[in-house]
Amino acid sequence: MRGFYSRKIHSLLGVIPLGFFFLEHMLTNFSAVEGGASGFTDSVLWLNSLPLVFFLELFGIWLPLLYHGVYGLYIAYQSKPNLNRFNLERNWRYTLQRISGVITFIFIVWHLYDTRVQVALGNVKHEELGGVMHNIVTQPLMLTVYIIGVLAACFHFANGLWSFLISWGITVGPRSQRVSSVICLGLFVIVSFMFLFSLVTFRDNEFQATASAVQSLRSLI
Amino acid sequence: MAETAAAPKNVKFVITRQDEPDTAPYTEEFELAYRPGMNVISALMEIQRNPVNAKGDSTVPVCWESNCLEEVCGACSMVINGKPRQACAALIDNLEQPVRIEPMKTFPVVRDLVIDRSRMFGALKRVKAWIPIDGTYDLGPGPRMPEKKRQWAYELSKCMTCGVCLEACPNVNEKTNFIGPAAISQVRLFNAHPTGEMNADERLDALMEDGGIDGCGNSQNCVRACPKGIPLTTSIAEINKQTTKHMFKRWLGV
């Protein structure tokens, strides 16, 4: 009984609220593509001006993320991949879902440390986050790490949605599962494109201004 | 029959053996003369008749289980060239050589290729995969089953508890207690029956216990491996739907 509910909660939290936050994050990042450095800063400031923003973050992001991440690691540990025997598309996705989950979990912890934790510690202001990202993605190694992390997260999101639809009994027959596969694949492509486009945009020099401000601030301290 | 005059071909077998349930497995090679239409079971029978391995040493005959020899009983499940399947339906003509035969190690190995599938029958008891109609007096005829429903339910009734779907499942292993696809599909079968439906909640409750339907990870190997072509993933998704509804009904006290 406990297993049933904890797994159901894991599945639900992956979509609500984490899936929605993921899409929100994508849109915020994309404001850097649309509106440049000032557009991105405006989006970040608007998001942080929401009422009860601390509780929105706590119950909408941190706690669900912690539960989904830790329980997800346990699910990944419990699986015994058998691609050598069953070299099938769905089995590949099953295996990649677990691998991408672990990669995403590690990546998110790191990414949070770079950004949200630094804000919390008072080292960085919200307006300077674009500069922080600029400093990260202008390093080729870090850019590669971020691309891998972002792609893993996008896959985990899109394929997780496919799996969610089955686990809640929404897509039952083979045809609906095939159609949802195509839709989720499309979602993976769109979401990946938007995230990567924003990531590359952060390399623009206009984000340098805020970045140099951060650096001078750091050197001052 | 001109072909019979050709030089006799040999077929090579590499068989994973195990003397006792708790001793280490080892492989032994065998070489048999090819006969048209031979399958893995007839090869094992040949070894039983003349227990000599490829080196020419006499050995203990290989143990295996089989009954019907027409892929309906589920007894001769083993891993042949990496794929779990029924040995009686594994024609040598369709297999790559050497033919590698192993027991389905998801289950406890009793000896050589003989495995203990008790957990599958235990699972059927857990989910109450039957229709309780026994009593002290005649209950009369039950409600009729629509023909359309009977047709797909018949497909589910073909399950022979062979265990191939459990062997194919990456979530059935020593780290979990997942009940496996077969029993979940049987719940769908008995919940679809007009009389069985009267006890539907009991079966759903059983699948919401520890090791129940939440163990499925949607790798969907089961439906590809099933020798009877049972739509196992459709059954799992349908039972996902039924347990989800049942969960909300229990909460709301309907």
Side-chain angles (χ1 to χ4, degrees):
Chain A
M1 190 86 81
R2 242 179 313 138
F4 181 80
Y5 287 113
S6 42
R7 183 68 193 251
K8 267 294 195 255
I9 291 169
H10 171 87
S11 173
L12 181 68
L13 291 181
V15 177
I16 306 165
L18 293 176
F20 284 101
F21 169 66
F22 187 68
L23 292 177
E24 183 283 315
H25 196 323
M26 175 188 80
L27 293 175
T28 305
N29 287 8
F30 204 72
S31 65
V33 177
E34 273 191 355
S38 62
F40 179 70
T41 308
D42 288 347
S43 302
V44 172
L45 290 178
W46 173 79
L47 204 62
N48 283 285
S49 71
L50 289 175
L52 294 174
V53 68
F54 173 78
F55 293 99
L56 286 181
E57 278 185 294
L58 183 68
F59 295 111
I61 309 171
W62 297 330
L63 292 179
L65 201 59
L66 190 68
Y67 182 91
H68 191 84
V70 172
Y71 194 77
L73 288 178
Y74 175 64
I75 293 174
Y77 156 78
Q78 280 192 318
S79 79
K80 200 175 171 187
N82 54 3
L83 283 172
N84 53 338
R85 273 191 190 175
F86 291 91
N87 192 7
L88 304 169
E89 186 251 343
R90 298 267 161 99
N91 197 26
W92 265 100
R93 268 159 53 185
Y94 161 90
T95 312
L96 284 176
Q97 183 69 3
R98 276 137 190 84
I99 296 171
S100 66
V102 175
I103 294 174
T104 306
F105 190 63
I106 297 166
F107 171 70
I108 287 175
V109 170
W110 190 11
H111 175 59
L112 265 178
Y113 179 78
D114 275 348
T115 55
R116 188 63 185 80
V117 172
Q118 297 307 318
V119 172
L121 292 174
N123 294 339
V124 171
K125 288 206 189 86
H126 284 129
E127 305 85 52
E128 297 163 351
L129 282 171
V132 170
M133 285 312 297
H134 175 82
N135 284 344
I136 292 170
V137 296
T138 41
Q139 304 167 49
L141 182 67
M142 290 296 125
L143 181 65
T144 315
V145 169
Y146 261 71
I147 288 173
I148 293 169
V150 163
L151 285 177
C154 292
F155 177 83
H156 194 80
F157 164 74
N159 191 53
L161 199 61
W162 176 79
S163 192
F164 171 89
L165 291 173
I166 298 172
S167 298
W168 288 80
I170 297 163
T171 50
V172 173
R175 196 176 139 271
S176 63
Q177 291 177 8
R178 214 165 35 239
V179 171
S180 65
S181 290
V182 175
I183 293 171
C184 289
L185 179 70
L187 197 63
F188 169 66
V189 172
I190 293 167
V191 171
S192 304
F193 172 77
M194 284 182 73
F195 264 113
L196 293 179
F197 198 2
S198 332
L199 206 58
V200 174
T201 307
F202 281 120
R203 286 166 68 89
D204 281 359
N205 280 330
E206 63 169 321
F207 290 92
Q208 183 93 52
T210 44
S212 54
V214 177
Q215 266 163 357
S216 59
L217 201 76
R218 281 228 174 106
S219 58
L220 254 168
I221 301 162
Chain B
M1 299 280 276
E3 305 96 70
T4 45
K9 278 195 292 181
N10 277 346
V11 188
K12 263 194 153 180
F13 294 88
V14 181
I15 301 177
T16 301
R17 309 195 56 176
Q18 187 170 328
D19 298 339
E20 300 276 340
D22 47 3
T23 55
Y26 58 94
T27 57
E28 192 164 21
E29 290 183 25
F30 293 89
E31 212 167 320
L32 304 176
Y34 173 82
R35 279 190 302 162
M38 74 191 291
N39 62 29
V40 168
I41 296 288
S42 72
L44 290 169
M45 285 173 166
E46 191 59 44
I47 293 170
Q48 195 179 40
R49 261 193 296 275
N50 180 27
V52 174
N53 65 22
K55 287 186 229 156
D57 301 332
S58 81
T59 182
V60 183
V62 178
C63 288
W64 81 94
E65 264 192 323
S66 62
N67 281 312
C68 73
L69 305 183
E70 54 179 359
E71 210 174 35
V72 293
C73 78
C76 67
S77 305
M78 46 188 89
V79 179
I80 298 162
N81 283 349
K83 293 273 185 297
R85 56 185 296 188
Q86 305 310 116
C88 64
L91 293 171
I92 299 300
D93 287 335
N94 301 336
L95 293 172
E96 201 180 298
Q97 284 190 43
V99 180
R100 293 174 193 280
I101 309 172
E102 301 160 70
M104 294 204 306
K105 291 201 188 81
T106 297
F107 300 89
V109 177
V110 178
R111 183 172 172 176
D112 293 339
L113 303 169
V114 181
I115 52 164
D116 179 3
R117 286 179 296 132
S118 303
R119 65 167 288 175
M120 297 206 63
F121 305 107
L124 291 177
K125 288 183 202 162
R126 256 170 70 195
V127 301
K128 303 185 186 194
W130 57 76
I131 295 170
I133 50 164
D134 289 344
T136 52
Y137 61 96
D138 186 2
L139 294 171
R144 279 181 60 85
M145 190 175 202
E147 172 59 17
K148 219 175 160 186
K149 197 181 199 180
R150 188 200 62 77
Q151 283 183 1
W152 63 253
Y154 180 67
E155 296 303 315
L156 308 186
S157 74
K158 287 180 180 172
C159 177
M160 52 191 181
T161 332
C162 68
V164 164
C165 57
L166 272 75
E167 177 74 16
C169 179
N171 273 11
V172 175
N173 58 54
E174 60 287 348
K175 290 179 277 186
T176 72
N177 50 7
F178 178 39
I179 197 164
I184 297 173
S185 189
Q186 290 305 295
V187 168
R188 181 181 174 219
L189 171 65
F190 286 98
N191 280 7
H193 190 279
T195 307
E197 200 184 346
M198 297 170 187
N199 301 81
D201 289 356
E202 292 175 24
R203 299 190 193 94
L204 296 178
D205 280 334
L207 280 183
M208 290 159 78
E209 295 288 334
D210 210 28
I213 192 163
D214 59 277
C216 174
N218 296 317
S219 78
Q220 304 205 337
N221 289 344
C222 55
V223 73
R224 303 285 292 265
C226 178
K228 306 305 286 184
I230 297 169
L232 291 166
T233 49
T234 308
S235 289
I236 292 171
E238 170 60 30
I239 295 302
N240 272 325
K241 180 190 246 168
Q242 288 183 22
T243 48
T244 303
K245 276 188 187 167
H246 187 55
M247 174 180 77
F248 285 116
K249 274 186 185 169
R250 271 201 319 210
W251 277 349
L252 301 170
V254 181

